[in-house]
Amino acid sequence: MPIPLHFQITNDLRERLENGEWKAGDHFPGDKELMQVYGVSSTTIRRALDELVREGWLNRRPGKGTFVKKQYVETLGKLTGFFDQVRAKGYHPSSQLLRVSEVDIADFEEYELDVFNSKKLFLIEKVQMLDKEPTVLVKSFWPIEIGRQLANYNLIQEGTYEIAKGELGITLEEAQQYIYASLATAEEAKHLGVNEGAAVMVMKRLVFSQGEPVEFSINFYQADKYMYRVDLKNEMIQDGNGIIVVEN
Amino acid sequence: MPIPLHFQITNDLRERLENGEWKAGDHFPGDKELMQVYGVSSTTIRRALDELVREGWLNRRPGKGTFVKKQYVETLGKLTGFFDQVRAKGYHPSSQLLRVSEVDIADFEEYELDVFNSKKLFLIEKVQMLDKEPTVLVKSFWPIEIGRQLANYNLIQEGTYEIAKGELGITLEEAQQYIYASLATAEEAKHLGVNEGAAVMVMKRLVFSQGEPVEFSINFYQADKYMYRVDLKNEMIQDGNGIIVVEN
DNA sequence: AAGTGGTCTAGACCACTTA
DNA sequence: AAGTGGTCTAGACCACTTA
């Protein structure tokens, strides 16, 4: 059972939705019809469709049927992959390495690096460019052994996560991110090509593999050129959801 | 079938997890044991546990079992509800109304209000306070009819979403949010009690009900005092995920 | 009354882990 | 070999919608 049926069906239907086989508001095939077409049980069809609902492609209404959703803005399904999105718009991404070396966590006390239970980490620091315009300053910390392996690959052309997942076989299972606004320090301003004190959007991320922390990164984006997008469902929609108070 | 079994089981287990019945890293009861205890089928237990996995409480490993996750930071399950979070920390939230009236969308061309297909909307503008310190400036646009009904309630004490969901019976099914950094305008600075040009975090949100837009809001937070938290799973972890380029 | 999606059962078979 | 969670089936019953 290498590729689950529900997964194959989700991919097939998503592709057909992307190709415009149905238009926004169209009646989507009913569960029974899909069961016959794909020759699977109701459970499997349901699981495939639940995923497409989660991705924002479909609405399901008991008694009425399944409908293709109006795409007011880009769907989550289409959103993944910054570089793909950016290339599709005609930009040429590249990156410039600033540092690829072992570091002592004592030199980075401003970040929460103690979750790694190690005094030394491997730091990959780079500026990501779009059409030679600097867009993001990235500081990415990995456990020493993994960092050394990453350093053997072409970090300019390939994304670090793609190497970790594809070449090193590391599963990136989940991540917690914090996003906030700040003012550029002299160092950040220099790399982003803005003035010191300009507004920047900061994204901190802690990635877990097999339940253990595997990467901490902090990314600085030029404000007003980049946004972060989040999709919410049902009970997640509350006043101030996702917002947390920073304790001093 | 008013309250699904899987839902009841999820709630029961979540409560027991919150009460510390198992510690981080503990072996969680196996599926078969839970099936016996709750007297339900494997499918129902699986569905209940899948939800707890999604909320960040559990890890499941085929061949090994289900484990209680280390809580490196607050779990998503605990995160929901800004006011609850804030009250638990000893703050006293309140709000100050700035405007509660019908408006012409032509006066707000900087926002994407045309998705409502209406020239007039109802605007609720307020400053949210924590211990009398201004924290968020909120501009919340609703369809006229809904806005008029909301205006009949106590908008100072209660959250607008809580009134809409609880009193008006409006289901808030999904939302798309954009978060970015910016510099405070004179108006924003005055209400937030900061200097003009200070860094602010901006959150724009479009909420859907029954597939149709029901609220657009824009919230301004003082930078460095507030962060936005997002949790990612598996294939969502990519370079620059969630980041989108702002077209000029 | 007929059709829709939502919940649930009882059980089979699988890959993987540990012994 | 025994135990774990992951996938899938065939089918029952439910609430809801439309006619």
Side-chain angles (χ1 to χ4, degrees), chain B residues 98 127 134 137 184-196:
Chain B
L98 302 177
V127 178
L137 170 62
T185 65
E187 183 213 354
E188 293 152 18
K190 187 183 75 181
H191 292 305
L192 290 177
V194 298
N195 292 327
E196 190 175 341

Side-chain angles (χ1 to χ4, degrees), chain A residues 76-85 128 159-162 165 172-175 177 203 205 207 215 217 219 221 228, chain B residues 232-243:
Chain A
L76 184 61
K78 287 181 184 166
L79 188 69
T80 51
F82 180 60
F83 286 104
D84 292 342
Q85 177 209 348
Q128 203 72 247
T160 325
Y161 291 147
E162 274 56 54
K165 285 189 280 192
L172 305 179
E173 286 166 353
E174 52 202 316
Q177 287 186 174
M203 183 172 84
R205 175 190 283 170
V207 183
E215 190 226 23
S217 61
N219 302 344
Y221 293 85
Y228 192 89
Chain B
L232 305 177
K233 297 289 274 183
N234 300 312
E235 66 293 343
M236 295 167 72
I237 305 173
Q238 302 195 2
D239 290 290
N241 80 294
I243 297 292

Side-chain angles (χ1 to χ4, degrees), chain A residues 54 59 61 69-70 72-74 79-83 85-86 89 91 115 126 130 159-162 165 172-183 197-201 203-208 210-213 221 223-248, chain B residues 54 59 61 69-70 72-74 79-83 85-86 89 91 115 126 130 159-162 165 172-183 197-201 203-208 210-213 221 223-248:
Chain A
R54 212 184 58 79
N59 269 329
R61 308 214 173 283
K69 247 167 73 173
K70 269 192 201 170
Y72 289 97
V73 281
E74 299 170 280
L79 188 69
T80 51
F82 180 60
F83 286 104
Q85 177 209 348
V86 139
K89 287 185 177 164
Y91 294 102
V115 293
K126 63 182 176 178
L130 284 192
T160 325
Y161 291 147
E162 274 56 54
K165 285 189 280 192
L172 305 179
E173 286 166 353
E174 52 202 316
Q176 293 178 330
Q177 287 186 174
Y178 296 89
I179 296 147
Y180 57 94
S182 189
L183 298 178
V200 287
M201 178 170 72
M203 183 172 84
K204 279 188 190 176
R205 175 190 283 170
L206 186 59
V207 183
F208 297 85
Q210 311 279 350
E212 293 297 321
Y221 293 85
D224 297 328
K225 267 182 95 170
Y226 299 92
M227 288 186 173
Y228 192 89
R229 161 133 180 245
V230 189
D231 293 79
L232 306 178
K233 297 288 272 182
N234 301 311
E235 66 292 345
M236 294 167 72
I237 304 173
Q238 302 195 1
D239 290 290
N241 80 294
I243 296 292
I244 58 174
V245 181
V246 179
E247 307 275 4
N248 293 316
Chain B
R54 210 184 59 78
N59 268 328
R61 308 213 173 284
K69 248 167 71 175
K70 269 193 201 170
Y72 290 96
V73 283
E74 299 170 280
L79 187 70
T80 51
F82 180 61
F83 286 104
Q85 177 210 350
V86 138
K89 287 185 175 161
Y91 293 102
V115 294
K126 62 182 177 179
L130 285 191
T160 325
Y161 292 147
E162 275 56 54
K165 284 190 281 191
L172 306 179
E173 285 165 355
E174 52 202 317
Q176 294 178 330
Q177 287 186 173
Y178 295 89
I179 296 146
Y180 56 95
S182 189
L183 299 177
V200 287
M201 179 169 73
M203 183 173 85
K204 279 187 191 177
R205 176 190 282 169
L206 186 59
V207 182
F208 297 85
Q210 311 279 352
E212 293 296 321
Y221 293 85
D224 298 327
K225 267 182 95 169
Y226 300 92
M227 288 187 174
Y228 192 88
R229 162 133 180 247
V230 189
D231 293 79
L232 305 177
K233 297 289 274 183
N234 300 312
E235 66 293 343
M236 295 167 72
I237 305 173
Q238 302 195 2
D239 290 290
N241 80 294
I243 297 292
I244 58 174
V245 181
V246 179
E247 307 275 2
N248 292 317

Side-chain angles (χ1 to χ4, degrees), chain B residues 135-151:
Chain B
T135 60
V136 206
L137 170 62
V138 181
K139 299 182 186 188
S140 170
F141 297 86
W142 299 78
I144 293 285
E145 323 78 56
I146 297 176
R148 282 186 188 143
Q149 292 182 66
L150 285 170

